[in-house]
Amino acid sequence: APRPPVLNGTLWVVAGDQVSLTCAAASHPAPIVTLARGRRVVAAAVYEPQVRLELPAAAPEDGGEYLCRAENQHGASSLAFN
C-alpha cells in the first residue's frame, strides 16, 4: 500500500496570496494521487508520485478541509488538512 502522503507547502494563507502546494506519496507500483475538497477532486495525478495544487490568488471560499489520497491495487492512505 502507498505510504502516508506528505504535504509540501504552506497552510497559512492570506486572501489574495498565491498558493502552491504538493502532496506526494511513495509506493510500488506508482499510486494514483488525488486532492479533494469535500467530494470534489481539485487535482489528480495518475501513476505519478505527487499532485500539485496551484491557486493564483486564494479566496476565502478556497478555505476548508482538503484530503490527499494515494491508492494503488495494494491499498490506500490519506492525509487531511485545512
Side-chain angles (χ1 to χ4, degrees), residues 36-41 65-67:
R37 181 168 177 245
R39 293 180 178 228
R40 187 175 140 241
V41 173
E65 185 168 292
Y66 287 77
L67 181 70

Side-chain angles (χ1 to χ4, degrees), residues 24-69:
S27 71
H28 184 75
I32 296 172
V33 184
T34 57
L35 187 57
R37 181 168 177 245
R39 293 180 178 228
R40 187 175 140 241
V41 173
V42 295
V46 179
Y47 306 126
E48 297 288 332
Q50 66 184 23
V51 66
R52 178 180 291 276
L53 175 66
E54 302 270 349
L55 299 174
E61 56 269 17
D62 294 321
E65 185 168 292
Y66 287 77
L67 181 70
C68 180
R69 179 177 168 87

Side-chain angles (χ1 to χ4, degrees), residues 6-20:
V6 176
L7 194 62
N8 180 14
T10 181
L11 299 180
W12 296 100
V13 178
V14 175
D17 283 355
Q18 179 179 354
V19 176
S20 176

